[in-house]
Amino acid sequence: MRRYARITGTGSYLPPRRLTNHDLAAELAQRGIETSDEWIVERTGIHARHFAAPEVASSDLALEASKKALEAAGCQPQDIDLIIVATSTPDMVFPSTACILQNKLGANGCAAFDVQAVCSGFVYALTVADAMIQSGAASRALVVGSEVFSRILDFNDRTTCVLFGDGAGAVVLEASEQPGILASDLHADGKHVGILCVPGNVSGGQILGDPLLKMDGQAVFKLAVGVLEKAARATLDKAGLTDADIDWLIPHQANIRIMQSTARKLKLSMDKVVVTVDQHGNTSAASIPLALDHGVRSGQVKPGQTVLLEGVGGGFTWGAVLLKM
């Protein structure tokens, strides 16, 4: 009998500090940087985002989201035999944020590692966990996207610092006789490294390069719209399904215009798209699991429905996962 992987619980967490566009504009004005709520909303659809306190790390956000996912799945940390954390803002150079999370959860002993695919990270991590469960290498996985992007923003660059926020989302993925993860499709193209990156690193106790986020917004937008449609269609083809079979589209929450364009290409109305970018901003690897948990807990996403997850991020990476809830 074939072995599948199904999502049995979701969870998410946002740090308490919420900044509206007006709040952020006021802070930027003190730096001599001009922006406004209207300017931000028109270009991105973002109205607010959450920033973590200085002492709070990605593993702390991941811990809270994980607790909620475990509770929803009706299991304990000791029941988990695989932890994968997707993050571009790890607690340390090493060990992995997944190992730090494992210890905070009290799930010590199981395999634990990070995945670095930036905003596509959760899609990558979910695909890896699915493969490990199907192969029998794991039976119950905790897959988390967690970010503190506020740490790597250049607050002198209004074109990027208004876009991002902090947060975490998590799912419990369990072995099942019933199909859950139906298909996935992952890609990367390293020739686009320069259009979205943080070109810095640590060497000899010093920071080499620039440790703040750099982005060519127009290049990212143009690339994202095309590759997201291709990944979505490839994933549907692998599952033997069509656009009409999608109950919900949960895309990476980067920019409402990218999301609207992708929905149009898939012949989906925005009524079938879970949108959280307006309140969360772009939380990178956390954005898809955050939106999924929001959809589940709000009653939008129901058991038995077919959901398409898709993301695109620095690398350049992109991919999609089709699942049955």
Side-chain angles (χ1 to χ4, degrees):
M1 183 177 294
R2 183 175 172 184
R3 181 181 171 102
Y4 297 96
R6 292 186 68 90
I7 290 176
T8 57
T10 66
S12 62
Y13 180 75
L14 293 161
R17 187 186 176 208
R18 179 177 182 270
L19 279 86
T20 66
N21 290 342
H22 294 293
D23 296 331
L24 187 56
E27 291 192 8
L28 292 177
Q30 296 177 8
R31 295 170 172 260
I33 307 298
E34 290 187 12
T35 191
S36 67
D37 176 66
E38 294 76 17
W39 190 89
I40 298 169
V41 172
E42 179 185 351
R43 287 160 178 77
T44 69
I46 297 168
H47 292 265
R49 76 286 294 144
H50 292 250
F51 282 173
E55 69 277 9
V56 174
S58 283
S59 65
D60 295 314
L61 303 183
L63 176 64
E64 299 306 319
S66 297
K67 287 177 179 177
K68 293 177 182 178
L70 289 166
E71 181 182 11
C75 60
Q76 300 298 314
Q78 297 81 5
D79 300 325
I80 298 297
D81 58 11
L82 171 65
I83 299 173
I84 306 178
V85 174
T87 186
S88 298
T89 51
D91 290 24
M92 304 179 186
V93 173
F94 71 84
S96 69
T97 300
C99 283
I100 298 170
L101 171 64
Q102 181 196 60
N103 188 52
K104 289 179 177 180
L105 275 173
N108 305 67
C110 69
F113 56 91
D114 288 357
V115 166
Q116 181 17 329
V118 198
C119 303
S120 307
F122 184 77
V123 168
Y124 268 64
L126 196 61
T127 300
V128 172
D130 172 48
M132 291 183 70
I133 288 175
Q134 286 195 51
S135 73
S139 293
R140 187 177 284 114
L142 177 65
V143 185
V144 188
S146 186
E147 303 281 17
V148 283
F149 251 59
S150 59
R151 311 282 163 78
I152 57 172
L153 298 180
D154 181 355
F155 286 98
N156 291 312
D157 179 6
R158 73 167 184 168
T159 65
T160 57
C161 71
V162 301
L163 303 178
F164 296 90
D166 303 338
V171 302
V172 174
L173 196 66
E174 298 190 41
S176 172
E177 296 179 358
Q178 299 298 317
I181 306 296
L182 304 178
S184 62
D185 189 64
L186 301 179
H187 297 275
D189 190 343
K191 73 171 177 280
H192 299 293
V193 164
I195 67 174
L196 179 55
C197 60
V198 177
N201 61 77
V202 177
S203 177
Q206 303 295 319
I207 295 172
L208 299 185
D210 191 336
L212 301 178
L213 184 145
K214 310 298 176 188
M215 183 174 73
D216 180 341
Q218 289 187 335
V220 169
F221 185 95
K222 183 177 179 180
L223 185 63
V225 171
V227 299
L228 286 174
E229 181 191 8
K230 290 178 182 177
R233 296 206 178 281
T235 305
L236 288 166
D237 287 345
K238 289 178 183 180
L241 300 176
T242 69
D243 304 354
D245 296 306
I246 300 172
D247 292 305
W248 289 101
L249 173 65
I250 304 183
H252 167 48
Q253 309 282 315
N255 182 307
I256 192 64
R257 292 188 296 163
I258 295 176
M259 296 161 66
Q260 290 167 338
S261 178
T262 303
R264 282 195 301 271
K265 289 177 179 292
L266 295 175
K267 302 179 180 65
L268 296 174
S269 78
M270 287 302 290
D271 292 340
K272 286 193 168 187
V273 181
V274 176
V275 177
T276 58
V277 68
D278 57 329
Q279 296 302 315
H280 300 169
N282 181 348
T283 55
S284 191
S287 78
I288 291 174
L290 268 169
L292 175 61
D293 185 55
H294 171 79
V296 169
R297 291 178 187 265
S298 68
Q300 292 175 283
V301 178
K302 298 179 174 60
Q305 290 187 323
T306 300
V307 178
L308 180 66
L309 313 178
E310 58 175 15
V312 60
F316 219 71
T317 65
W318 65 94
V321 172
L322 191 68
L323 58 90
K324 183 77 72 173
M325 292 300 292

